[in-house]
Amino acid sequence: MPSLQKVYMNHQQKPLVFDSLILQHKTDIPQQFVWPDNEKPNSEKVKELAVPLVDLGGFISGKSSSAKETANFVGEACKKHGFFLVINHGVNASLIEDAHRYMDLFFALPLVEKQRAQRKVGESCGYASSFTGRFSSKLPWKETLSLQFSSENSSSNMVKDYFENTMGKEFTRLGKVYQEYCNAMSRLSLRIMELLGMSLGINQAYFKELFEHNDSIMRLNYYPRCQQPDLTLGTGPHCDPTSLTILHQDSVGGLEVFIDNEWRSIAPNQNAFVVNIGDTFMALSNGRYRSCLHRAVVNNIIHRKSLAFFLCPKKDKVVRPPDELVDEKNPRIYPDFTWSTFLEFTQKHYRSDMNTLQAFTNWIQQNKHMN
Ligand SMILES: C=C1C[C@]23C[C@H]1CC[C@H]2[C@]1(C)CCC[C@@](C)(C(=O)O)[C@H]1[C@@H]3C(=O)O
Ligand SMILES: O=C(O)CCC(=O)C(=O)O
Ligand SMILES: [Fe+2]
């Protein structure tokens, strides 16, 4: 097991400032953004993946016959590679359009304006540009704005309040759009969780109990145009450490998944959300469903945007597979843990990649000896 990756910058190093307005015109990209040869995107176009398409219409309208059939279809997709598309998802199309439009507005702001929401070291929310100040190499060619979402009633304006408090009253409308978008994502993810529970043959209450009050992350990914797109990556190869990801990408394309030893592209479909299983759900399903390796490539023609909602259980809930999924033939694979501990591991000790959950498991065991 490779030792914990020390890829975090030490605090003496002066962080590079990544101003996309300048960098996107640079013909020679800075060395920190050049990835190793074995991780660079292949210059030839990758083949498209025929992603399983799940129509949620029947299930959402309460047709019980569709529920089981839809659950089985989702289950098959999750056993294969943990990615599927959902259509007729019930999320308002104009809300999605607004969410994309306000991203263009926010990321077009001068850097100094965006830095008013600057992500603090060790925290998971706020504005970050290519993670300068966090990583010292293999910098991702992107800017991100990460928002904390809690489905608890009391804090149901957490996202809206964040924008108002951080960026000012003129961002109230923008904050309301992302608050509404996160609420819609939370509702949709609970419906998908119901299908996942059915497909695994477990009591529906189990996942509902874990995720009904979720502490999730909404991430806005903005990938500026890049003059040397074959040397860098918008988001490096990784499995999402979270439970479930619901992603809406714009029409540019760039999301790729690693299947049968090759990278395959997921074509944009504006009527669909891309859904994938994360590491935490892989642990919850005791390894039945796999968290899949994926990445985002950039291009030299136009910027690209994606909105990723990462469903996470309430921070202090113990992540443990239901008894139905553990027996002599299927012994426990991962230890009990809480999402708050796993999140801290990804923010302070380990840059998420394809081995995050295994590295986290080893880290827990090592720390157990220390306590
Ligand atoms: C819990 C999280 C950590 C990351 C954001 C969410 C889910 C995905 C993770 C991430 C995108 C995986 C690739 C590396 C990463 C550093 C990134 O490129 O943003 C990860 C996020 C993070 O640690 O901020
Ligand atoms: O932008 C994309 O299409 C993928 C982003 C991603 O995988 C992530 O943010 O975890
Ligand atoms: Fe991801």
PDB file of all heavy atoms in Angstrom, residues 80-96:
ATOM      1  N   LYS A  80     -22.182  -3.212 -13.128  1.00  0.00           N
ATOM      2  CA  LYS A  80     -21.252  -3.152 -14.273  1.00  0.00           C
ATOM      3  C   LYS A  80     -20.201  -2.081 -14.015  1.00  0.00           C
ATOM      4  O   LYS A  80     -19.053  -2.354 -13.774  1.00  0.00           O
ATOM      5  CB  LYS A  80     -22.028  -2.864 -15.567  1.00  0.00           C
ATOM      6  CG  LYS A  80     -22.036  -4.103 -16.477  1.00  0.00           C
ATOM      7  CD  LYS A  80     -22.540  -3.969 -17.878  1.00  0.00           C
ATOM      8  CE  LYS A  80     -23.374  -2.800 -18.236  1.00  0.00           C
ATOM      9  NZ  LYS A  80     -24.471  -3.166 -19.136  1.00  0.00           N
ATOM     10  N   HIS A  81     -20.619  -0.788 -14.035  1.00  0.00           N
ATOM     11  CA  HIS A  81     -19.577   0.223 -13.837  1.00  0.00           C
ATOM     12  C   HIS A  81     -20.009   1.408 -12.982  1.00  0.00           C
ATOM     13  O   HIS A  81     -19.351   2.398 -12.891  1.00  0.00           O
ATOM     14  CB  HIS A  81     -19.042   0.729 -15.183  1.00  0.00           C
ATOM     15  CG  HIS A  81     -20.108   0.918 -16.216  1.00  0.00           C
ATOM     16  ND1 HIS A  81     -21.117   1.843 -16.066  1.00  0.00           N
ATOM     17  CD2 HIS A  81     -20.338   0.308 -17.396  1.00  0.00           C
ATOM     18  CE1 HIS A  81     -21.908   1.781 -17.123  1.00  0.00           C
ATOM     19  NE2 HIS A  81     -21.470   0.859 -17.941  1.00  0.00           N
ATOM     20  N   GLY A  82     -21.184   1.298 -12.358  1.00  0.00           N
ATOM     21  CA  GLY A  82     -21.570   2.312 -11.371  1.00  0.00           C
ATOM     22  C   GLY A  82     -21.946   3.667 -11.953  1.00  0.00           C
ATOM     23  O   GLY A  82     -22.043   4.653 -11.241  1.00  0.00           O
ATOM     24  N   PHE A  83     -22.155   3.708 -13.288  1.00  0.00           N
ATOM     25  CA  PHE A  83     -22.609   4.965 -13.922  1.00  0.00           C
ATOM     26  C   PHE A  83     -23.917   4.713 -14.665  1.00  0.00           C
ATOM     27  O   PHE A  83     -24.081   3.652 -15.295  1.00  0.00           O
ATOM     28  CB  PHE A  83     -21.576   5.434 -14.954  1.00  0.00           C
ATOM     29  CG  PHE A  83     -20.597   6.449 -14.426  1.00  0.00           C
ATOM     30  CD1 PHE A  83     -19.479   6.031 -13.716  1.00  0.00           C
ATOM     31  CD2 PHE A  83     -20.792   7.814 -14.621  1.00  0.00           C
ATOM     32  CE1 PHE A  83     -18.566   6.957 -13.220  1.00  0.00           C
ATOM     33  CE2 PHE A  83     -19.878   8.741 -14.124  1.00  0.00           C
ATOM     34  CZ  PHE A  83     -18.764   8.302 -13.425  1.00  0.00           C
ATOM     35  N   PHE A  84     -24.880   5.644 -14.578  1.00  0.00           N
ATOM     36  CA  PHE A  84     -26.082   5.573 -15.416  1.00  0.00           C
ATOM     37  C   PHE A  84     -26.634   6.992 -15.607  1.00  0.00           C
ATOM     38  O   PHE A  84     -26.238   7.914 -14.878  1.00  0.00           O
ATOM     39  CB  PHE A  84     -27.128   4.618 -14.817  1.00  0.00           C
ATOM     40  CG  PHE A  84     -27.550   4.913 -13.394  1.00  0.00           C
ATOM     41  CD1 PHE A  84     -28.672   5.695 -13.118  1.00  0.00           C
ATOM     42  CD2 PHE A  84     -26.815   4.405 -12.310  1.00  0.00           C
ATOM     43  CE1 PHE A  84     -29.060   5.955 -11.805  1.00  0.00           C
ATOM     44  CE2 PHE A  84     -27.189   4.671 -10.998  1.00  0.00           C
ATOM     45  CZ  PHE A  84     -28.318   5.447 -10.744  1.00  0.00           C
ATOM     46  N   LEU A  85     -27.494   7.152 -16.598  1.00  0.00           N
ATOM     47  CA  LEU A  85     -28.142   8.449 -16.845  1.00  0.00           C
ATOM     48  C   LEU A  85     -29.580   8.350 -16.337  1.00  0.00           C
ATOM     49  O   LEU A  85     -30.169   7.280 -16.383  1.00  0.00           O
ATOM     50  CB  LEU A  85     -28.180   8.770 -18.346  1.00  0.00           C
ATOM     51  CG  LEU A  85     -26.855   8.890 -19.085  1.00  0.00           C
ATOM     52  CD1 LEU A  85     -27.108   9.161 -20.572  1.00  0.00           C
ATOM     53  CD2 LEU A  85     -25.989   9.991 -18.505  1.00  0.00           C
ATOM     54  N   VAL A  86     -30.132   9.470 -15.844  1.00  0.00           N
ATOM     55  CA  VAL A  86     -31.558   9.474 -15.496  1.00  0.00           C
ATOM     56  C   VAL A  86     -32.252  10.570 -16.302  1.00  0.00           C
ATOM     57  O   VAL A  86     -31.750  11.688 -16.428  1.00  0.00           O
ATOM     58  CB  VAL A  86     -31.803   9.673 -13.976  1.00  0.00           C
ATOM     59  CG1 VAL A  86     -31.331   8.486 -13.148  1.00  0.00           C
ATOM     60  CG2 VAL A  86     -31.195  10.956 -13.468  1.00  0.00           C
ATOM     61  N   ILE A  87     -33.404  10.206 -16.904  1.00  0.00           N
ATOM     62  CA  ILE A  87     -34.249  11.192 -17.607  1.00  0.00           C
ATOM     63  C   ILE A  87     -35.636  11.171 -16.967  1.00  0.00           C
ATOM     64  O   ILE A  87     -35.918  10.303 -16.146  1.00  0.00           O
ATOM     65  CB  ILE A  87     -34.367  10.872 -19.126  1.00  0.00           C
ATOM     66  CG1 ILE A  87     -34.851   9.443 -19.349  1.00  0.00           C
ATOM     67  CG2 ILE A  87     -33.045  11.141 -19.831  1.00  0.00           C
ATOM     68  CD1 ILE A  87     -35.271   9.160 -20.780  1.00  0.00           C
ATOM     69  N   ASN A  88     -36.465  12.156 -17.337  1.00  0.00           N
ATOM     70  CA  ASN A  88     -37.792  12.294 -16.696  1.00  0.00           C
ATOM     71  C   ASN A  88     -37.631  12.246 -15.179  1.00  0.00           C
ATOM     72  O   ASN A  88     -38.334  11.529 -14.470  1.00  0.00           O
ATOM     73  CB  ASN A  88     -38.742  11.181 -17.173  1.00  0.00           C
ATOM     74  CG  ASN A  88     -39.024  11.323 -18.669  1.00  0.00           C
ATOM     75  OD1 ASN A  88     -39.041  12.450 -19.174  1.00  0.00           O
ATOM     76  ND2 ASN A  88     -39.168  10.207 -19.364  1.00  0.00           N
ATOM     77  N   HIS A  89     -36.662  13.040 -14.715  1.00  0.00           N
ATOM     78  CA  HIS A  89     -36.215  13.060 -13.316  1.00  0.00           C
ATOM     79  C   HIS A  89     -37.028  14.024 -12.453  1.00  0.00           C
ATOM     80  O   HIS A  89     -36.832  14.078 -11.234  1.00  0.00           O
ATOM     81  CB  HIS A  89     -34.736  13.433 -13.240  1.00  0.00           C
ATOM     82  CG  HIS A  89     -34.363  14.495 -14.234  1.00  0.00           C
ATOM     83  ND1 HIS A  89     -34.871  15.784 -14.176  1.00  0.00           N
ATOM     84  CD2 HIS A  89     -33.568  14.454 -15.326  1.00  0.00           C
ATOM     85  CE1 HIS A  89     -34.391  16.484 -15.192  1.00  0.00           C
ATOM     86  NE2 HIS A  89     -33.601  15.701 -15.915  1.00  0.00           N
ATOM     87  N   GLY A  90     -37.864  14.845 -13.090  1.00  0.00           N
ATOM     88  CA  GLY A  90     -38.723  15.741 -12.296  1.00  0.00           C
ATOM     89  C   GLY A  90     -38.070  17.049 -11.901  1.00  0.00           C
ATOM     90  O   GLY A  90     -38.670  17.862 -11.197  1.00  0.00           O
ATOM     91  N   VAL A  91     -36.792  17.275 -12.322  1.00  0.00           N
ATOM     92  CA  VAL A  91     -36.140  18.557 -11.974  1.00  0.00           C
ATOM     93  C   VAL A  91     -36.460  19.572 -13.073  1.00  0.00           C
ATOM     94  O   VAL A  91     -36.327  19.287 -14.262  1.00  0.00           O
ATOM     95  CB  VAL A  91     -34.608  18.400 -11.827  1.00  0.00           C
ATOM     96  CG1 VAL A  91     -33.949  19.736 -11.467  1.00  0.00           C
ATOM     97  CG2 VAL A  91     -34.283  17.352 -10.768  1.00  0.00           C
ATOM     98  N   ASN A  92     -36.892  20.741 -12.650  1.00  0.00           N
ATOM     99  CA  ASN A  92     -37.353  21.786 -13.565  1.00  0.00           C
ATOM    100  C   ASN A  92     -36.236  22.214 -14.523  1.00  0.00           C
ATOM    101  O   ASN A  92     -35.139  22.597 -14.086  1.00  0.00           O
ATOM    102  CB  ASN A  92     -37.818  22.972 -12.693  1.00  0.00           C
ATOM    103  CG  ASN A  92     -38.437  24.070 -13.522  1.00  0.00           C
ATOM    104  OD1 ASN A  92     -37.810  24.512 -14.492  1.00  0.00           O
ATOM    105  ND2 ASN A  92     -39.642  24.486 -13.170  1.00  0.00           N
ATOM    106  N   ALA A  93     -36.512  22.164 -15.835  1.00  0.00           N
ATOM    107  CA  ALA A  93     -35.485  22.475 -16.851  1.00  0.00           C
ATOM    108  C   ALA A  93     -34.995  23.920 -16.717  1.00  0.00           C
ATOM    109  O   ALA A  93     -33.790  24.189 -16.867  1.00  0.00           O
ATOM    110  CB  ALA A  93     -36.060  22.240 -18.239  1.00  0.00           C
ATOM    111  N   SER A  94     -35.887  24.851 -16.365  1.00  0.00           N
ATOM    112  CA  SER A  94     -35.428  26.262 -16.288  1.00  0.00           C
ATOM    113  C   SER A  94     -34.542  26.462 -15.056  1.00  0.00           C
ATOM    114  O   SER A  94     -33.652  27.323 -15.055  1.00  0.00           O
ATOM    115  CB  SER A  94     -36.627  27.217 -16.278  1.00  0.00           C
ATOM    116  OG  SER A  94     -37.483  26.866 -15.232  1.00  0.00           O
ATOM    117  N   LEU A  95     -34.751  25.637 -14.025  1.00  0.00           N
ATOM    118  CA  LEU A  95     -33.854  25.717 -12.847  1.00  0.00           C
ATOM    119  C   LEU A  95     -32.445  25.288 -13.252  1.00  0.00           C
ATOM    120  O   LEU A  95     -31.453  25.917 -12.889  1.00  0.00           O
ATOM    121  CB  LEU A  95     -34.394  24.827 -11.722  1.00  0.00           C
ATOM    122  CG  LEU A  95     -33.523  24.697 -10.469  1.00  0.00           C
ATOM    123  CD1 LEU A  95     -33.294  26.060  -9.809  1.00  0.00           C
ATOM    124  CD2 LEU A  95     -34.133  23.701  -9.478  1.00  0.00           C
ATOM    125  N   ILE A  96     -32.355  24.241 -14.058  1.00  0.00           N
ATOM    126  CA  ILE A  96     -31.047  23.757 -14.536  1.00  0.00           C
ATOM    127  C   ILE A  96     -30.397  24.838 -15.399  1.00  0.00           C
ATOM    128  O   ILE A  96     -29.203  25.140 -15.251  1.00  0.00           O
ATOM    129  CB  ILE A  96     -31.206  22.437 -15.311  1.00  0.00           C
ATOM    130  CG1 ILE A  96     -31.803  21.348 -14.406  1.00  0.00           C
ATOM    131  CG2 ILE A  96     -29.867  21.976 -15.880  1.00  0.00           C
ATOM    132  CD1 ILE A  96     -32.235  20.087 -15.144  1.00  0.00           C
TER     133      ILE A  96
END
